[in-house]
Every structure is written in C-alpha cells, then in structure tokens.
Amino acid sequence: MNASPARHRSLRLRLLAGSLVWILAAVAITGVLLADLFGQHVRERVDTELHGHLDQLTALFEVAPDGTASLRMPLSDPRLSRPYAGLYWQVDRAGDAPVIGLLRSRSLWDTALAVPADALADGEVHVHETEGPDAHPVRLMERMVRPAEQPEATYRLIVALDIRQIHEPVEEFATLLAVALGVLALGLGAAAVLQVGIGLAPLRHMREALGAVRDGRTRRLEGDYPQEVQPLVEELNTLLAHDEAMVERARTQAGNLAHAVKTPLTILANAARNDDSALARLVDEQVGDARRQVDYHLARARAAAAVQQPGLKTPLRPVIDALVRVMTRLHAARALHIATAGVPDTLACRGDAQDLQEMLGNLLDNACKWAAREVSVRAGRRDGHLAVHIDDDGPGLSEAQRSAVLARGVRADEHTPGSGLGLAIAHDLARAYGGDLCLSASPLGGLRATLLLPAA
C-alpha cells in the first residue's frame, strides 16, 4: 500500500485540510471586502471634500457689472496656493475651452484642467476622472452656475483632487490589512491544529490501549473516553471477550477430541502388544502413526487458535528453566550440561505458554538426544522478534539434511528413538505465530536451532 492513499484516508489531514481551506477562504474574502469597503469610504470622503470646496468656490465666486469674474477672497485650503499640490480649482466660461488667463488656483500654475464637454443644468454637479497637471489623473467635480449680476452668462466651476491621494491610503490600508489578516490566518490555523489534536486525542489513547492489549499488558481497553467514543470502546471490549471465549472453547474441544481419539488408540495399542502376529505388529505401527498425527494436528490447531487471541504474553525464562529440569532428569544417565546463562529474565514471547513449551521442548529434546556432553540455550531480540538459539556439540547435519528434517515425519537417524515430528511441529507452530525455525551449524560443532517468535 503506497503512502498517498494512506494520507488521503487520514482523518486528521481531512479535518485540518477542511479547516485550513475555510480559514484561508474566509480571510481572503474578508480582506477583499474590507479593502473594497475602505476604498469606497475613501472615495466618499474625497467626494465630500470636493463638494465642500466646490460649495466654497461657488459662494466666493462673483461677477462685476463690467463682466469681470473674480473671487471675493481666496479659498481656505493652503494646498491651493502650492504649485501641483494635488488640489485645484478652476472657473471657465461655459462653452469656452480653458485657456491661460482664466480663473484658476495657483496650484495649477501654468496649466488648465481638461474638462469633458458635457451638458449641465444650472446647479447640477458632475464627477469625472480625467488627466490633470503633470499628466497625473485627477478626480474632478464641476457645477454650472449663472451669476445674478449677469443671468445670461454661464460659468463652469471646477475643483479637482489628485487621484493618488485616493489610491495611496487604500494601498497602505490593503498592505496593513494583508499583514493583519495573515497573522489572523496563522493564529486560526494554529488553533485548528490544536483543536484537531485535542479532538483526536481519545482515538490516539484508544490506539495505545489496543497496543497494550496486543502486547499482553492488559486484556481489555481501559481508560475514560468521551461519550462519542465510549460505545466503540465497549463494543471492542465485548468483541475481545467473545473472541477469548471462542478461543478457549475451541481449545477445550480440541483437547476433548484428542482425548476421545487417544483412548481407543491406546486400547488398540495395548491389545496389539499382547499379540506377536503380523496383524498385531501392523496395528501397533499404524496406531503409533495415528497418535503422532493426532499430536501434530492438535498442536497446530491449538496454535492457530492462540494466534487469533490478543493479549498473550509468556515470559521465556520460566519456560526454559522448567524444560531444562525435565531434560536433565530425562537424560540423567548421560550427564549432559545444559547452559542457560545467555537467557535474559526480561524476554517474553507474544504467544501461548503451552505452545512455547511445545516448541522449545521439541528443540531441547532433539539437542539432548544428539549432544555428546553440552547443550547451550541463548536468547535475544532481533528486529522485533524473539530469537532463541539452541546449540549442541553433536554430529550436526548437512545442509541437505537440515532442509529434510523440517518435513513432517522425516528422521535424521531411524535408530534414534522418536517420531520424526518434533522439528516439524516446532517449525509449523513458529510459522503459525508469524515466526520461523532455522537450522545451521553450531559454534559447539553440532546443530544450531534458531527459533524466531514475535516478542512481547
């Protein structure tokens, strides 16, 4: 399974992606709306300012009886007195093109405002954007008036403001707004990450609790969970209890079946031993083979059931010590030395104790049968597995023999007592647990059996 689909199925990434997309969209839309609203506000303020200047110009404008137009007094804004200061006024005779010498503010210096040729009613106000002094665009407001002294004459009164005085504050506001909204977006993103982390924390705790069940530290999910998660925890605990009961029932039924089969086989074997005929020897041989098959398949069935059961954990050292005591008594006549100093007390197998005894017992028994004087047991961890090395100083096996003896019923020496199933049973049980059994040359000169099992 590749990493990309796993990321797409991540609940954390989905929640974060959804939150961040909405945060970015909301911040972007808010920024655009606020910038547009501020621009409208600035334009309204400019139009209000221009309207005030136009009203003042209208109030101060007068025409003498001889037709000379003038202002009773200068307009109050000092910008009108500075050349190209950005604020201008101008008075034109209606229908005349603006020329040097008409009434205009000092700020226009030696230029005139280019006014669109539109028709205005008396007192009507029009607003335009056109080119102003020094080739800079201006926002222009005009009004048509008829002075009382000469009603037949029509004058166009004009005020204008450099449009840069509108754009610059809008741009400055947009820059500050972008910084502020960027900080806000980062804060909201951090809050979303924190919220998702806190919201999904119960699922992380539940995963840790499941890991504890798998590793055998506990048999049920424990902890206090939110009401949305608690029903799932209860269902999982119910499922664990049900599986545990099913495994125990299967193990009991397998044991009962084995006992039921072994009883008539024992009767047949005892009857055959009392008879020396060819038929009796055949029956005794077949009964022995049947009993070995029952033992073999019973071990596999028990291991298959145990593998499905979570929470199994068996310390290694007590099992090995018990088996060494049994093997010491069983092979007491040969005075074998079985060394177990290389087995730490902290190692444990994630499996059933009876299955571990079955595997190690077969391997130890095989090593003791072939050893001359010494058997060594060592254990450690390897890539998440428990590795148990059982060495003997016997004759050992060739590479071809090592592969053959792992097959069911194959024996390295027909004269040595045994069924030929010990190594095969240990091999199949290890495979059932997700481990393996490997045979190699031993540093003691004989055979090394390495049993790999999941470590707890």
Side-chain angles (χ1 to χ4, degrees):
M1 183 180 296
N2 54 35
S4 181
R7 288 196 296 269
H8 290 311
R9 290 195 296 269
S10 171
L11 184 59
R12 179 187 299 273
L13 290 181
R14 286 184 179 183
L15 293 174
L16 285 178
S19 300
L20 294 178
V21 166
W22 280 111
I23 288 173
L24 292 177
V27 168
I29 293 173
T30 301
V32 172
L33 291 178
L34 288 178
D36 184 66
L37 288 175
F38 183 76
Q40 293 181 17
H41 172 71
V42 171
R43 285 189 291 272
E44 290 174 359
R45 290 292 301 272
V46 167
D47 288 346
T48 301
E49 179 183 356
L50 289 176
H51 205 283
H53 289 307
L54 185 61
D55 289 343
Q56 188 180 18
L57 179 63
T58 304
L60 297 176
F61 177 70
E62 62 180 6
V63 178
D66 60 357
T68 304
S70 64
L71 297 182
R72 289 196 299 273
M73 57 182 298
L75 272 67
S76 59
D77 197 308
R79 290 176 293 178
L80 295 170
S81 302
R82 297 196 305 270
Y84 306 121
L87 181 63
Y88 316 99
W89 65 264
Q90 179 174 299
V91 176
D92 296 336
R93 187 72 178 263
D96 294 341
V99 296
I100 302 300
L102 295 179
L103 291 176
R104 63 177 56 83
S105 64
R106 183 174 178 79
S107 57
L108 281 172
W109 198 243
D110 57 354
T111 62
L113 295 172
V115 183
D118 54 343
L120 286 82
D122 289 347
E124 186 179 4
V125 175
H126 281 189
V127 178
H128 307 280
E129 288 190 4
T130 184
E131 184 174 320
D134 205 15
H136 291 144
V138 295
R139 190 169 181 83
L140 179 148
M141 185 176 290
E142 60 175 343
R143 173 186 288 158
M144 194 72 70
V145 297
R146 293 177 183 271
E149 298 83 353
Q150 292 185 353
E152 70 283 358
T154 304
Y155 293 88
R156 189 190 300 264
L157 279 61
I158 305 162
V159 293
L161 182 70
D162 194 325
I163 206 167
R164 288 178 295 180
Q165 299 188 25
I166 301 175
H167 292 166
E168 287 177 358
V170 172
E171 292 173 357
E172 291 177 359
F173 175 79
T175 301
L176 293 175
L177 181 64
V179 173
L181 291 180
V183 173
L184 176 63
L186 289 177
L188 292 176
V193 172
L194 182 62
Q195 181 181 13
V196 170
I198 294 175
L200 295 181
L203 296 181
R204 184 174 63 252
H205 296 158
M206 188 169 67
R207 183 186 64 185
E208 294 172 354
L210 283 172
V213 172
R214 181 197 60 199
D215 294 338
R217 300 193 300 271
T218 181
R219 304 186 72 84
R220 297 290 183 270
L221 294 180
E222 299 175 351
D224 186 18
Y225 296 93
Q227 61 181 1
E228 292 82 5
V229 181
Q230 187 62 36
L232 176 60
V233 173
E234 293 174 355
E235 290 295 329
L236 284 173
N237 283 332
T238 302
L239 179 61
L240 290 172
H242 178 263
D243 287 349
E244 186 177 345
M246 288 187 61
V247 168
E248 187 61 31
R249 187 161 54 248
R251 291 165 66 92
T252 301
Q253 291 175 354
N256 292 339
L257 177 61
H259 179 72
V261 172
K262 285 183 177 181
T263 299
L265 291 177
T266 301
I267 295 173
L268 288 174
N270 292 335
R273 290 193 188 98
N274 297 327
D275 192 345
D276 197 26
S277 64
L279 177 61
R281 289 193 297 272
L282 178 61
V283 169
D284 184 59
E285 180 183 345
Q286 294 303 314
V287 166
D289 186 60
R291 294 182 68 173
R292 289 192 295 270
Q293 297 297 328
V294 169
D295 291 338
Y296 173 77
H297 289 289
L298 176 61
R300 292 199 60 180
R302 187 174 63 244
V307 168
Q308 302 299 322
Q309 183 179 358
L312 292 177
K313 180 180 180 181
T314 302
L316 179 63
R317 184 75 194 202
V319 174
I320 290 180
D321 289 343
L323 289 172
V324 168
R325 288 193 296 268
V326 172
M327 295 301 163
T328 301
R329 290 195 298 268
L330 186 61
H331 300 276
R334 300 173 55 203
L336 293 175
H337 175 253
I338 304 177
T340 61
V343 181
D345 296 334
T346 56
L347 295 180
C349 166
R350 195 166 69 238
D352 181 71
Q354 190 173 353
D355 292 334
L356 184 59
Q357 291 173 357
E358 182 82 20
M359 289 182 281
L360 291 177
N362 284 326
L363 296 178
L364 268 174
D365 185 49
N366 184 76
C368 290
K369 285 178 181 178
W370 293 98
R373 290 181 302 275
E374 185 177 358
V375 174
S376 172
V377 182
R378 304 182 64 85
R381 294 180 68 95
R382 180 196 298 175
D383 299 330
H385 281 75
L386 182 68
V388 183
H389 306 288
I390 300 177
D391 296 283
D392 64 70
D393 59 351
L397 295 174
S398 66
E399 290 188 11
Q401 288 176 316
R402 292 170 198 165
S403 301
V405 295
L406 293 180
R408 182 157 47 99
V410 176
R411 299 166 58 185
D413 187 351
E414 295 293 336
H415 300 290
T416 301
S419 63
L421 289 172
L423 292 178
I425 289 176
H427 183 253
D428 285 355
L429 286 179
R431 289 288 184 90
Y433 276 103
D436 202 358
L437 174 62
C438 304
L439 301 179
S440 60
S442 170
L444 299 180
L447 181 69
R448 163 171 283 188
T450 300
L451 181 63
L452 296 175
L453 294 172

